Amino acid sequence: MGRQLSLFVSSLTTLLALAGAPAHATTFVMVADEALADRAELVVEARLLGLGPAAASGMPVTDYLFAVERVVKGRADDAVVAVRVPGGVRADGRGLMIWGAPVFADGGRALLFLTGERQGARRVLHLTLGAFHLRELDGETVALRDLSQLQEVRPRPEGAAVEAARADRPRDLFRFARWVEDRAAGRRRPADYFVDLPAAAPGSAVEPFTLLACPASVPACAGLNMRWFEFDTGGSVAFRAHVNGLAGIAGGGFAQFQTGLNAWNADAATPIKYTYGGTTTVNTAFSDFDDLNVITFSDFQDDVLDGDFDCEEGGVIALGGPWFDEDLRGTFKGITYLPIAGADIVINDNTQCFFQDNPKVA
């Protein structure tokens, strides 16, 4: 029970950073390259051509159109592949930001581990874990992931979920792609593709790809951060929990969720005031804006993550994101922000083992 409480509350407290700076608002257990290579249906080197049209309704998404330069695994039937990323702005201006969702720059190249096609697009396996940005350094092409808005966690035997200390090392593209090709062909061998960035390299592996609070695909609000303005006037923000609760957690996790809310309220350095609004049967989550702030304990709509959490392999544990209107603005201490209209939290499917006394994840 104590271990479950500590792990669950640690993850929730991180996700509730929606109130302020968005750093590390999605939590995950690292997925090994072997699992990425085995699970992906298509692995390609590709260059971004542009964006597809905005969604007319439902969940805001961003469709990136990539020109396939090389197929590393699987089969690409077309020269251009659409990669759908959760978050973006709909045609009506309603936006959703999923912290940690991959963002790609115009003309940028990437090594992508993708799922099967659905509704005309593929998705990145395990949100951002299957997206490697390609950069040229000292005449070599290296593959780098942007994990700047995700927090890797690892449970300790005593029950605390701690941020993992190991860094995500850059990979030599040529050797990494060849390793994936060999594995797909049944030739399994140790990794030989990790590299160290030279001391003169411009910044860390994540700095060149730092995500903006407003999705980079939305020019109208690019560069603006988001903010709850309710707290500035003594107001509060109510969160509800889906009535099903989380299997494997004593009492369904409702008490633990309230503990996570109270952890933010107890921070004397902020005016944050979260309240618990009880349970709800609403399970819209990210599929549409419902004017409620809700934590759901499963990806009911199966529209956010391609890649359930796996007790052996890891994956995304939980993620959160705020809703906004691309045309609304608010000012605090002379700085312009996007007011947060609401926020949702989704716990990934099959995470029960992470919160239970399971030695496979200890």
Side-chain angles (χ1 to χ4, degrees):
M1 173 64 178
R3 184 172 189 268
Q4 295 173 350
L5 175 66
S6 177
L7 290 173
F8 193 46
V9 170
S10 296
S11 295
L12 291 175
T13 303
T14 295
L15 288 164
L16 287 164
L18 290 168
H24 310 306
T26 289
T27 56
F28 71 98
V29 173
M30 181 59 77
V31 176
D33 290 346
E34 290 81 357
L36 278 179
D38 294 346
R39 297 291 181 186
E41 295 195 26
L42 178 67
V43 182
V44 295
E45 292 177 36
R47 182 181 300 275
L48 181 63
L49 297 176
L51 303 177
S57 61
M59 178 180 176
V61 297
T62 301
D63 282 350
Y64 291 97
L65 305 179
F66 281 93
V68 177
E69 297 181 334
R70 177 189 177 193
V71 176
V72 179
K73 177 189 176 183
R75 176 179 174 180
D77 294 326
D78 299 302
V80 176
V81 60
V83 177
R84 181 160 297 162
V85 171
V89 174
R90 296 188 312 216
D92 64 0
R94 175 64 68 188
L96 170 67
M97 179 64 186
I98 301 293
W99 303 130
V103 173
F104 304 98
D106 288 343
R109 299 178 62 236
L111 178 69
L112 303 171
F113 291 73
L114 303 173
T115 66
E117 186 172 304
R118 188 175 67 180
Q119 297 178 337
R122 296 178 183 267
R123 292 193 284 184
V124 178
L125 189 62
H126 295 298
L127 194 64
T128 296
L129 301 184
F132 292 83
H133 303 268
L134 304 183
R135 290 186 63 206
E136 300 296 326
L137 288 177
D138 291 344
E140 303 291 336
T141 304
V142 296
L144 307 168
R145 280 189 289 209
D146 178 10
L147 304 181
S148 60
Q149 289 191 346
L150 297 91
Q151 177 174 304
E152 182 184 357
V153 295
R154 187 185 306 147
R156 286 179 173 173
E158 69 272 18
V162 296
E163 185 173 358
R166 73 170 175 266
D168 188 46
R169 295 179 63 191
R171 294 149 176 83
D172 176 87
L173 173 64
F174 176 77
R175 297 201 302 268
F176 188 27
R178 186 177 58 186
W179 178 89
V180 174
E181 285 179 325
D182 284 350
R183 189 171 181 87
R187 298 185 293 271
R188 302 193 173 192
R189 54 187 178 81
D192 62 351
Y193 45 77
F194 290 108
V195 296
D196 294 315
L197 292 178
S204 71
V206 299
E207 286 176 349
F209 311 109
T210 299
L211 306 182
L212 301 175
C214 171
S217 58
V218 186
C221 57
L224 295 179
N225 289 319
M226 300 181 189
R227 181 181 179 82
W228 293 110
F229 279 87
E230 287 82 352
F231 302 138
D232 300 327
T233 55
S236 61
V237 171
F239 269 89
R240 294 170 173 79
H242 188 266
V243 66
N244 283 7
L246 181 63
I249 295 291
F254 302 112
Q256 290 91 328
F257 180 52
Q258 294 175 67
T259 300
L261 293 171
N262 291 332
W264 275 100
N265 296 339
D267 186 350
T270 76
I272 292 171
K273 184 179 180 182
Y274 285 131
T275 62
Y276 180 61
T279 60
T280 179
T281 58
V282 171
N283 63 1
T284 311
F286 300 126
S287 64
D288 207 352
F289 184 60
D290 52 28
D291 290 306
L292 296 176
N293 308 306
V294 179
I295 180 172
T296 55
F297 300 95
S298 176
D299 185 9
F300 288 106
Q301 311 300 330
D302 193 28
D303 56 3
V304 182
L305 291 164
D306 262 296
D308 293 345
F309 187 83
D310 187 280
C311 300
E312 299 281 353
E313 298 177 357
V316 174
I317 301 168
L319 70 169
W323 293 86
F324 63 94
D325 188 308
E326 67 171 335
D327 295 324
L328 294 184
R329 301 288 185 272
T331 303
F332 179 73
K333 294 185 176 180
I335 300 175
T336 300
Y337 293 90
L338 286 171
I340 296 176
D344 289 298
I345 298 171
V346 173
I347 307 296
N348 200 3
D349 295 329
N350 300 335
T351 54
Q352 296 95 319
C353 65
F354 181 76
F355 300 114
Q356 293 173 326
D357 291 324
N358 187 338
K360 295 179 180 179
V361 297

